[in-house]
Amino acid sequence: DTLFAKSQFNNMEATNHVLGPVIGKVDDHSARILFEVDKDMEVTMELTSKTEPVEKNIVELQVKARTPTIFVFDDLIEDTPYKVTIPSVPGAPEGSFKTFNGVLSKKERRIAA
C-alpha cells in the first residue's frame, strides 16, 4: 500500500489507463471500443488491419478523467483482424478483434447486437 501511494504521488503527470481497451460491439464494418484514463486528456486510438494492404483507422477524442469513453470506428473491412493500440497513453495494453464476414446467421446477429 505504501509503495503504491508513494509511486502515485511521485509521478503526478503520468497518465494511467484505468480500463480497456474493452472490445464492444463488432459487426462486418464497425467496432465500438471502451477506454478510460485517470485524467482529462486527448486520447488517440488506432486500429491497424493485420492483412495486406495494411489499413489504419484513427480516432482522437477528448476524454474526462475516470469516465469510460466509447471510441466508434466505421468503414472497416469485413472479415478482417485488427490490432488496437493507444499511442497517446504509454503502457496501455493492446487489444485485437476480427470483423464479421458480412454473412451472419440469426444466432450470430443476436450475439453481435
Side-chain angles (χ1 to χ4, degrees):
D1 291 331
T2 304
L3 290 176
F4 175 76
K6 184 176 181 182
S7 172
Q8 187 177 26
F9 290 113
N10 282 344
N11 197 6
M12 293 298 282
E13 294 301 314
T15 300
N16 295 304
H17 92 283
V18 175
L19 176 70
V22 176
I23 309 302
K25 181 181 178 183
V26 175
D27 60 28
D28 52 350
H29 291 286
S30 67
R32 295 179 184 170
I33 303 169
L34 186 74
F35 193 72
E36 181 179 346
V37 291
D38 63 355
K39 71 176 186 179
D40 291 359
M41 66 177 291
E42 184 173 274
V43 173
T44 301
M45 185 176 290
E46 295 181 357
L47 296 187
T48 306
S49 64
K50 296 181 178 181
T51 58
E52 295 293 331
V54 173
E55 175 189 308
K56 187 173 275 196
N57 297 274
I58 300 170
V59 172
E60 294 178 339
L61 295 175
Q62 189 65 38
V63 302
K64 294 194 177 287
R66 301 206 172 269
T67 302
T69 302
I70 298 172
F71 289 75
V72 178
F73 291 89
D74 291 314
D75 301 320
L76 301 179
I77 301 169
E78 68 182 40
D79 199 29
T80 301
Y82 285 91
K83 178 174 78 170
V84 181
T85 57
I86 301 94
S88 59
V89 182
E94 295 181 352
S96 63
F97 66 91
K98 183 177 179 182
T99 52
F100 286 93
N101 65 7
V103 182
L104 299 177
S105 68
K106 288 182 181 180
K107 181 180 179 183
E108 288 170 325
R109 279 191 218 118
R110 284 194 305 269
I111 292 171

